PDB file of all heavy atoms in Angstrom:
ATOM      1  N   ASP A  43      18.912 127.218 -43.424  1.00 52.00           N
ATOM      2  CA  ASP A  43      20.091 126.504 -43.084  1.00 52.00           C
ATOM      3  C   ASP A  43      21.269 127.446 -43.344  1.00 52.00           C
ATOM      4  O   ASP A  43      22.161 127.162 -44.152  1.00 52.00           O
ATOM      5  CB  ASP A  43      20.244 125.211 -44.043  1.00 52.00           C
ATOM      6  CG  ASP A  43      19.487 124.076 -43.642  1.00 52.00           C
ATOM      7  OD1 ASP A  43      18.809 124.151 -42.535  1.00 52.00           O
ATOM      8  OD2 ASP A  43      19.418 123.113 -44.323  1.00 52.00           O
ATOM      9  N   ASN A  45      23.912 128.438 -41.291  1.00 59.00           N
ATOM     10  CA  ASN A  45      24.973 128.430 -40.346  1.00 59.00           C
ATOM     11  C   ASN A  45      26.295 128.557 -41.099  1.00 59.00           C
ATOM     12  O   ASN A  45      26.848 127.492 -41.519  1.00 59.00           O
ATOM     13  CB  ASN A  45      24.866 127.160 -39.483  1.00 59.00           C
ATOM     14  CG  ASN A  45      25.950 127.171 -38.405  1.00 59.00           C
ATOM     15  OD1 ASN A  45      26.866 127.917 -38.435  1.00 59.00           O
ATOM     16  ND2 ASN A  45      25.720 126.357 -37.441  1.00 59.00           N
ATOM     17  N   SER A  46      26.678 129.762 -41.437  1.00 62.00           N
ATOM     18  CA  SER A  46      27.887 129.988 -42.217  1.00 62.00           C
ATOM     19  C   SER A  46      29.110 129.391 -41.598  1.00 62.00           C
ATOM     20  O   SER A  46      30.031 128.969 -42.295  1.00 62.00           O
ATOM     21  CB  SER A  46      28.050 131.451 -42.533  1.00 62.00           C
ATOM     22  OG  SER A  46      28.190 132.178 -41.322  1.00 62.00           O
ATOM     23  N   LEU A  47      29.249 129.370 -40.286  1.00 68.00           N
ATOM     24  CA  LEU A  47      30.405 128.800 -39.613  1.00 68.00           C
ATOM     25  C   LEU A  47      30.499 127.298 -39.888  1.00 68.00           C
ATOM     26  O   LEU A  47      31.571 126.824 -40.196  1.00 68.00           O
ATOM     27  CB  LEU A  47      30.382 129.099 -38.114  1.00 68.00           C
ATOM     28  CG  LEU A  47      30.478 130.537 -37.659  1.00 68.00           C
ATOM     29  CD1 LEU A  47      30.403 130.643 -36.112  1.00 68.00           C
ATOM     30  CD2 LEU A  47      31.745 131.180 -38.170  1.00 68.00           C
ATOM     31  N   LEU A  48      29.337 126.637 -39.752  1.00 62.00           N
ATOM     32  CA  LEU A  48      29.319 125.214 -40.098  1.00 62.00           C
ATOM     33  C   LEU A  48      29.649 124.971 -41.557  1.00 62.00           C
ATOM     34  O   LEU A  48      30.476 124.049 -41.864  1.00 62.00           O
ATOM     35  CB  LEU A  48      27.956 124.660 -39.775  1.00 62.00           C
ATOM     36  CG  LEU A  48      27.816 123.163 -40.020  1.00 62.00           C
ATOM     37  CD1 LEU A  48      28.770 122.323 -39.228  1.00 62.00           C
ATOM     38  CD2 LEU A  48      26.370 122.739 -39.685  1.00 62.00           C
ATOM     39  N   ALA A  49      29.125 125.779 -42.425  1.00 63.00           N
ATOM     40  CA  ALA A  49      29.400 125.594 -43.836  1.00 63.00           C
ATOM     41  C   ALA A  49      30.855 125.817 -44.133  1.00 63.00           C
ATOM     42  O   ALA A  49      31.434 125.067 -44.904  1.00 63.00           O
ATOM     43  CB  ALA A  49      28.537 126.581 -44.678  1.00 63.00           C
ATOM     44  N   ILE A  50      31.467 126.812 -43.550  1.00 68.00           N
ATOM     45  CA  ILE A  50      32.909 127.041 -43.727  1.00 68.00           C
ATOM     46  C   ILE A  50      33.744 125.909 -43.184  1.00 68.00           C
ATOM     47  O   ILE A  50      34.662 125.430 -43.854  1.00 68.00           O
ATOM     48  CB  ILE A  50      33.376 128.370 -43.071  1.00 68.00           C
ATOM     49  CG1 ILE A  50      32.720 129.576 -43.799  1.00 68.00           C
ATOM     50  CG2 ILE A  50      34.880 128.500 -43.110  1.00 68.00           C
ATOM     51  CD1 ILE A  50      32.826 130.878 -43.171  1.00 68.00           C
ATOM     52  N   ALA A  51      33.399 125.451 -42.024  1.00 74.00           N
ATOM     53  CA  ALA A  51      34.173 124.336 -41.369  1.00 74.00           C
ATOM     54  C   ALA A  51      34.087 123.060 -42.192  1.00 74.00           C
ATOM     55  O   ALA A  51      34.937 122.274 -42.243  1.00 74.00           O
ATOM     56  CB  ALA A  51      33.646 124.107 -39.946  1.00 74.00           C
ATOM     57  N   GLN A  52      32.893 122.872 -42.857  1.00 67.00           N
ATOM     58  CA  GLN A  52      32.713 121.645 -43.575  1.00 67.00           C
ATOM     59  C   GLN A  52      33.061 121.796 -45.108  1.00 67.00           C
ATOM     60  O   GLN A  52      32.939 120.844 -45.849  1.00 67.00           O
ATOM     61  CB  GLN A  52      31.263 121.096 -43.461  1.00 67.00           C
ATOM     62  CG  GLN A  52      30.848 120.780 -42.039  1.00 67.00           C
ATOM     63  CD  GLN A  52      31.768 119.724 -41.453  1.00 67.00           C
ATOM     64  OE1 GLN A  52      32.053 118.739 -42.105  1.00 67.00           O
ATOM     65  NE2 GLN A  52      32.237 119.984 -40.239  1.00 67.00           N
ATOM     66  N   GLY A  53      33.461 123.026 -45.474  1.00 69.00           N
ATOM     67  CA  GLY A  53      33.867 123.159 -46.810  1.00 69.00           C
ATOM     68  C   GLY A  53      32.688 123.142 -47.800  1.00 69.00           C
ATOM     69  O   GLY A  53      32.803 122.784 -48.998  1.00 69.00           O
ATOM     70  N   SER A  54      31.491 123.556 -47.330  1.00 66.00           N
ATOM     71  CA  SER A  54      30.312 123.571 -48.094  1.00 66.00           C
ATOM     72  C   SER A  54      29.619 124.898 -48.032  1.00 66.00           C
ATOM     73  O   SER A  54      30.109 125.809 -47.493  1.00 66.00           O
ATOM     74  CB  SER A  54      29.371 122.436 -47.622  1.00 66.00           C
ATOM     75  OG  SER A  54      28.944 122.737 -46.296  1.00 66.00           O
ATOM     76  N   SER A  55      28.483 125.011 -48.678  1.00 69.00           N
ATOM     77  CA  SER A  55      27.676 126.201 -48.649  1.00 69.00           C
ATOM     78  C   SER A  55      26.196 125.828 -48.621  1.00 69.00           C
ATOM     79  O   SER A  55      25.816 124.626 -48.704  1.00 69.00           O
ATOM     80  CB  SER A  55      27.915 127.050 -49.825  1.00 69.00           C
ATOM     81  OG  SER A  55      27.354 126.533 -50.947  1.00 69.00           O
ATOM     82  N   ASN A  56      25.314 126.759 -48.423  1.00 75.00           N
ATOM     83  CA  ASN A  56      23.910 126.517 -48.470  1.00 75.00           C
ATOM     84  C   ASN A  56      23.337 126.561 -49.828  1.00 75.00           C
ATOM     85  O   ASN A  56      22.178 126.360 -50.017  1.00 75.00           O
ATOM     86  CB  ASN A  56      23.154 127.531 -47.524  1.00 75.00           C
ATOM     87  CG  ASN A  56      23.541 127.388 -46.092  1.00 75.00           C
ATOM     88  OD1 ASN A  56      23.821 126.259 -45.699  1.00 75.00           O
ATOM     89  ND2 ASN A  56      23.556 128.444 -45.406  1.00 75.00           N
ATOM     90  N   LYS A  57      24.187 126.819 -50.826  1.00 83.00           N
ATOM     91  CA  LYS A  57      23.764 126.822 -52.228  1.00 83.00           C
ATOM     92  C   LYS A  57      23.573 125.422 -52.746  1.00 83.00           C
ATOM     93  O   LYS A  57      24.377 124.483 -52.458  1.00 83.00           O
ATOM     94  CB  LYS A  57      24.732 127.573 -53.044  1.00 83.00           C
ATOM     95  CG  LYS A  57      24.701 129.062 -52.861  1.00 83.00           C
ATOM     96  CD  LYS A  57      25.539 129.800 -53.838  1.00 83.00           C
ATOM     97  CE  LYS A  57      25.408 131.305 -53.636  1.00 83.00           C
ATOM     98  NZ  LYS A  57      26.101 132.060 -54.631  1.00 83.00           N
ATOM     99  N   GLN A  58      22.551 125.248 -53.588  1.00 87.00           N
ATOM    100  CA  GLN A  58      22.318 124.019 -54.228  1.00 87.00           C
ATOM    101  C   GLN A  58      21.737 124.234 -55.587  1.00 87.00           C
ATOM    102  O   GLN A  58      21.140 125.281 -55.834  1.00 87.00           O
ATOM    103  CB  GLN A  58      21.381 123.101 -53.409  1.00 87.00           C
ATOM    104  CG  GLN A  58      20.104 123.817 -52.971  1.00 87.00           C
ATOM    105  CD  GLN A  58      19.288 122.884 -52.029  1.00 87.00           C
ATOM    106  OE1 GLN A  58      18.581 122.026 -52.502  1.00 87.00           O
ATOM    107  NE2 GLN A  58      19.472 123.147 -50.746  1.00 87.00           N
ATOM    108  N   PRO A 122      23.264 113.189 -50.802  1.00 83.00           N
ATOM    109  CA  PRO A 122      24.409 112.958 -51.664  1.00 83.00           C
ATOM    110  C   PRO A 122      25.665 112.404 -50.910  1.00 83.00           C
ATOM    111  O   PRO A 122      26.497 111.740 -51.471  1.00 83.00           O
ATOM    112  CB  PRO A 122      24.722 114.250 -52.319  1.00 83.00           C
ATOM    113  CG  PRO A 122      24.058 115.287 -51.489  1.00 83.00           C
ATOM    114  CD  PRO A 122      22.915 114.629 -50.713  1.00 83.00           C
TER     115      PRO A 122
END
Side-chain angles (χ1 to χ4, degrees):
D43 281 354
N45 185 341
S46 60
L47 295 178
L48 179 60
I50 292 168
Q52 298 302 315
S54 63
S55 74
N56 294 329
K57 287 189 177 185
Q58 52 187 276

